[in-house]
Amino acid sequence: MQSAAISLSPSISLPRNNPMHLALCSQRRRLSTVSASSLPSSGVSCSLPPTGWVSSHNPLTRSDVVPLRATAETGEAAESPKSKTADTLVLGILFGFWYLFNIYFNIYNKQVLKVYPYPVTVSLFQFAVGTVIVILMWTLNIYKRPKISGAQLATIFPLAVAHTLGNLFTNVSLGKVAVSFTHTIKAMEPFFSVILSAMFLGEFPTVWIVLSLIPVVGGVGLASMTEASFNWAGFWSAMASNLTNQSRNVLSKKFMVKKEESLDNITLFAVITIMSFFLMVLPTIFMEGIKFTPSYIQAAGLDVKEICIRSILAALCFHAYQQVSYMILQRVSPVTHSVGNCVKRVVVIVSSVLFFRTAVSPLNSIGTGIALAGVFLYSRVKRIKPKAKTA
């Protein structure tokens, strides 16, 4: 009976410190006391060193690798749901930071522009802080420094110009009207995207997309007519921001496809930030002069420390929310990112109204709500692909 208890065939050779080796040795010694002759040769050597210690040097043999590989594969399969949960958690955290940085950027930026009405200088400072952050990331190897050719820079240059103008016009608008109104106007970005894509890319919208733009335009119009802080400079600046930002997106599609495949979104944003800083230096001096020295700020009756702190915080949040936005875009589809951007605009509008205690009439609220609902509808109908025409 005992002779059938253990049967090891074919012979294997296990390292001496292998747990299976030690277990078999113990089992064989125990059985040998019962019936040594009934146990067949197992091919396992049970001899131990005289000292009783197992050697620490133990290169893996083929018999060691196979069970471990099976265990690893089983573990990966078991951890798959956990991995998905972790990815979802990371994505949720990124969205939270995206919204949070955007809220604080608008609050600090508005506070600075209310007492320091120089949007060109403020824009230059924000690009300067972003440039310092990018250089630090490259220097400390937090992100790999790219190798950019002259041809690549020439291709990126129009995008940098559009990016610079878009942020400049946004700052001009934020300095003239309420934060909530600026973002309500900026809800018209899909309208400009559709027009420019049709003009320069030949991408004509479907009927559903056109219908979704009607509440966007109508809602912005209603909000504009009932806005307490309305003025034409703030309105047209926000509209110009829409035009330039969507021009940047169209240009990236037209000129960057299959030309800059070596540049990911974050690297492209870093290069554009540095180029925007240099593009803003001369216009700032010619348009507003040197208005950022401590002596000038003191002469204007402002607290130098307070202005500097809020300007730095606004600039850090400005770069951070755009950086996080690109990180999210690498994880989700453009349509999902568009939906998230729509929700972000709602969060920014509500938070700014509460923080600054902006006077909002019922009609103004309805107009803003209609516009944002149209943007959300637009992001949803973009999923609908037109049917291919059959011959």
Side-chain angles (χ1 to χ4, degrees):
M1 294 295 290
Q2 290 178 348
S3 61
I6 298 178
S7 177
L8 300 176
S9 180
S11 297
I12 58 174
S13 177
L14 297 175
R16 292 177 178 177
N17 63 343
N18 190 291
M20 186 182 294
H21 174 277
L22 298 176
L24 288 174
C25 290
S26 175
Q27 181 73 0
R28 183 172 180 181
R29 286 169 181 157
R30 186 168 59 253
L31 291 176
S32 63
T33 60
V34 180
S35 178
S37 61
S38 62
L39 183 65
S41 177
S42 64
V44 178
S45 174
C46 298
S47 60
L48 295 174
T51 59
W53 293 95
V54 180
S55 173
S56 61
H57 179 68
N58 179 30
L60 291 176
T61 61
R62 189 175 186 85
S63 59
D64 294 317
V65 175
V66 175
L68 291 175
R69 183 177 300 166
T71 304
E73 291 175 355
T74 305
E76 289 176 0
E79 292 179 0
S80 181
K82 293 183 180 180
S83 179
K84 291 181 179 179
T85 303
D87 289 341
T88 303
L89 180 61
V90 170
L91 186 61
I93 293 173
L94 288 176
F95 268 98
F97 278 121
W98 187 25
Y99 294 176
L100 190 65
F101 287 138
N102 211 291
I103 290 170
Y104 277 106
F105 162 70
N106 283 279
I107 290 175
Y108 289 131
N109 206 30
K110 180 64 176 178
Q111 289 177 333
V112 171
L113 290 169
K114 282 176 68 176
V115 297
Y116 185 79
Y118 300 104
V120 185
T121 302
V122 169
S123 300
L124 173 65
F125 182 76
Q126 290 168 357
F127 288 127
V129 172
T131 299
V132 172
I133 293 174
V134 170
I135 293 175
L136 285 175
M137 288 174 62
W138 288 346
T139 303
L140 300 176
N141 289 324
I142 298 175
Y143 207 81
K144 185 178 180 180
R145 181 179 179 179
K147 295 181 180 179
I148 308 294
S149 64
Q152 287 177 318
L153 290 177
T155 305
I156 298 172
F157 181 76
L159 306 182
V161 172
H163 178 76
T164 304
L165 292 175
N167 288 284
L168 173 60
F169 285 131
T170 298
N171 283 335
V172 172
S173 180
L174 288 172
K176 298 292 184 181
V177 297
V179 174
S180 57
F181 184 51
T182 295
H183 282 275
T184 300
I185 301 171
K186 286 176 71 65
M188 282 193 66
E189 284 183 349
F191 175 82
F192 288 91
S193 177
V194 169
I195 297 297
L196 293 173
S197 295
M199 290 175 61
F200 297 102
L201 301 178
E203 298 178 358
F204 294 96
T206 63
V207 175
W208 296 110
I209 289 180
V210 173
L211 291 176
S212 70
L213 294 177
I214 294 176
V216 174
V217 177
V220 171
L222 180 60
S224 300
M225 290 187 294
T226 57
E227 172 60 38
S229 66
F230 179 87
N231 65 67
W232 287 109
F235 175 81
W236 287 116
S237 296
M239 294 292 279
S241 174
N242 289 335
L243 178 62
T244 51
N245 283 332
Q246 295 310 307
S247 297
R248 177 193 60 194
N249 295 340
V250 171
L251 286 171
S252 65
K253 289 181 182 179
K254 188 175 181 63
F255 296 111
M256 301 296 288
V257 175
K258 296 182 180 180
K259 291 185 178 181
E260 310 300 329
E261 293 180 353
S262 60
L263 297 181
D264 59 88
N265 287 333
I266 296 177
T267 301
L268 181 61
F269 170 66
V271 174
I272 287 177
T273 298
I274 296 174
M275 295 178 74
S276 295
F277 166 69
F278 287 106
L279 285 171
M280 285 294 298
V281 174
L282 291 179
T284 301
I285 296 174
F286 285 120
M287 295 176 67
E288 295 181 348
I290 302 176
K291 302 290 180 64
F292 48 83
T293 60
S295 58
Y296 180 86
I297 296 175
Q298 286 179 340
L302 302 175
D303 188 334
V304 177
K305 181 180 178 181
E306 192 72 17
I307 290 293
C308 289
I309 290 175
R310 294 184 186 276
S311 297
I312 291 173
L313 290 174
L316 290 174
C317 291
F318 169 75
H319 186 84
Y321 90 75
Q322 296 198 59
Q323 187 87 13
V324 173
S325 176
Y326 280 107
M327 292 171 66
I328 293 173
L329 190 58
Q330 288 185 334
R331 291 173 173 264
V332 301
S333 68
V335 175
T336 302
H337 188 274
S338 179
V339 174
N341 191 52
C342 176
V343 176
K344 180 208 71 179
R345 205 171 295 285
V346 174
V347 172
V348 170
I349 290 174
V350 173
S351 61
S352 66
V353 168
L354 294 176
F355 184 86
F356 293 108
R357 298 180 181 179
T358 308
V360 181
S361 66
L363 280 178
N364 185 269
S365 300
I366 293 172
T368 302
I370 292 174
L372 294 174
V375 174
F376 181 77
L377 181 62
Y378 167 82
S379 65
R380 302 300 297 177
V381 299
K382 281 193 71 176
R383 293 176 178 267
I384 304 174
K385 296 182 180 181
K387 295 181 179 179
K389 295 181 179 180
T390 57

